Amino acid sequence: AAAAVFGWNDYRRFSVTPLNVTQQQESIDVGRGTSFKGIVAELQRHGFSTANPWYWRLLAEQMHVAGKLHAGEYAMEPGITPRRLLADMAAGKVLQRNFTIVDGWTFAQLRQALAHAEKLKHDSATLDDATIMQKIGAGGEAPEGRFLPETYAYVKGDGDLDILRRAHVAMVKTLATLWSGRDKDLPLATPYDALILASIVEKETGRADERAKIAGVFVRRLQDHMLLQTDPSVIYGMGASYDGNIHKSDLTTDTPYNTYTRPGLPPTPIALPGKPAIEAALHPAPGDALYFVARGDGTHAFASSLTEQNRNVDCYQRKHCQ
């Protein structure tokens, strides 16, 4: 009788005592078809539990989850108890990870980041851009700018094409919604034009208080049939030849993306614009500014005339302030 009481009390203690988890972000992976005995063995192999396997079986029977545990990857957080772990497995509460698409990334940068994402199947690794777009149901589209910067949750077993497909659908829906509420009389014929302009705004500034102002400058330049003369587009067109500095010769070397030599918008977006940049492109700030120059502190000085712009360039770029 004493042994039975001791055994019962020891079992109860086991069920509510945290497992041996010493680090954050640990996990256990339960493969399809793994038996209950195999799950317990995996817990012991990782050092999460040293308890008698019969305690695990008794707890599972008591919780009515024996034979109902789902395969998948489960978080082993410090403080987790055997009872909590079995409840998570019975509910299929698998570990979710997050992948964030950063505003202003290029599609090439997005692909590089996906290639390094943990526990994600890299189905696109050997595919070219055109094939990727076809695989996600967007065949014929240029990929640049087509994916909405947001944080996307995924679980082990998901593939990078899954994330790209979701990000593409999110951009399509977001762009359609914002386009329907755009300002009137914009020099933008299609939502794709708005996406291109938004990508330029995204690369020109990361400041929330300047996006609409910069969008306003480009909208007025388009309306006045002026060259956009935006350096980020020139840099994008230079591709791998860009060495971190833009030279005068780069501004005169013609490419489809050189907005110093070609009028209008570039042929595609130059980055992945976030929702705030798209909103700015569709709701540009009013005013008469046609130029801007970086001050060197993250802000820009705006000007309505070339004379004023040249004065700002002398001050903030050449440090000849008067």
Side-chain angles (χ1 to χ4, degrees):
V5 170
F6 173 81
W8 179 252
N9 287 336
D10 193 44
Y11 159 73
R12 292 181 62 187
R13 177 196 55 76
F14 149 78
S15 68
V16 296
T17 299
L19 295 169
N20 184 29
V21 181
T22 58
Q23 301 178 24
Q24 296 285 350
Q25 298 181 334
E26 291 200 67
S27 65
I28 182 171
D29 192 10
V30 178
R32 291 185 180 277
T34 303
S35 66
F36 186 85
K37 182 179 179 181
I39 294 174
V40 175
E42 189 72 6
L43 288 166
Q44 292 179 328
R45 187 177 71 83
H46 284 281
F48 294 136
S49 174
T50 58
N52 188 321
W54 282 105
Y55 284 0
W56 283 97
R57 171 63 69 178
L58 179 59
L59 180 60
E61 294 291 349
Q62 187 184 38
M63 294 174 63
H64 306 291
V65 299
K68 299 179 181 178
L69 305 184
H70 296 272
E73 184 185 18
Y74 294 89
M76 299 295 293
E77 301 170 348
I80 190 171
T81 65
R83 184 177 295 276
R84 168 69 184 280
L85 178 60
L86 290 181
D88 286 350
M89 290 182 172
K93 191 177 178 181
V94 295
L95 175 62
Q96 285 195 332
R97 288 180 167 81
N98 292 323
F99 180 81
T100 300
I101 301 178
V102 178
D103 301 38
W105 271 357
T106 61
F107 183 63
Q109 289 174 311
L110 170 56
R111 290 197 62 176
Q112 185 177 31
L114 281 171
H116 291 90
E118 293 185 345
K119 308 292 185 178
L120 188 67
K121 291 193 300 182
H122 304 298
D123 299 322
S124 71
T126 60
L127 306 180
D128 59 24
D129 289 356
T131 304
I132 288 175
M133 297 305 287
Q134 185 178 22
K135 290 281 188 181
I136 67 171
E141 292 183 5
E144 198 64 80
R146 297 285 193 175
F147 304 89
L148 186 68
E150 272 188 0
T151 296
Y152 298 88
Y154 67 93
V155 299
K156 182 180 179 181
D158 286 346
D160 51 10
L161 290 176
D162 298 321
I163 290 180
L164 289 174
R165 188 177 295 107
R166 290 160 56 197
H168 181 270
V169 169
M171 177 60 88
V172 169
K173 291 181 178 179
T174 297
L175 185 58
T177 299
L178 296 179
W179 175 258
S180 66
R182 68 191 181 280
D183 288 353
K184 296 180 180 180
D185 301 322
L186 293 176
L188 305 171
T190 65
Y192 193 56
D193 285 348
L195 196 63
I196 295 172
L197 177 56
S199 73
I200 295 173
V201 173
E202 187 70 73
K203 297 301 288 185
E204 285 284 7
T205 184
R207 292 181 61 94
D209 60 337
E210 285 195 349
R211 290 192 188 98
K213 292 181 182 179
I214 286 178
V217 169
F218 289 128
V219 163
R220 284 185 287 276
R221 292 181 77 92
L222 287 171
Q223 290 171 331
D224 293 347
H225 303 289
M226 298 174 65
L227 294 172
L228 293 185
Q229 297 183 322
T230 172
D231 291 357
S233 185
V234 176
I235 292 169
Y236 185 84
M238 292 171 65
S241 66
Y242 178 62
D243 62 4
N245 295 298
I246 191 166
H247 308 281
K248 188 174 182 179
S249 59
D250 298 324
L251 303 181
T252 57
T253 301
D254 184 55
T255 75
Y257 292 87
N258 191 335
T259 50
Y260 285 79
T261 61
R262 298 199 183 193
L265 294 166
T268 73
I270 60 172
L272 308 175
K275 183 178 178 181
I278 300 173
E279 290 175 329
L282 295 174
H283 303 283
D288 58 3
L290 292 170
Y291 308 89
F292 60 87
V293 64
R295 288 193 176 101
D297 61 358
T299 66
H300 294 81
F302 294 82
S304 57
S305 69
L306 185 57
T307 299
E308 185 182 1
Q309 169 71 353
N310 289 336
R311 191 160 52 242
N312 288 338
V313 170
D314 282 338
C315 179
Y316 298 111
Q317 299 292 314
R318 303 189 181 104
K319 308 303 180 184
H320 297 155
C321 297
Q322 297 180 354

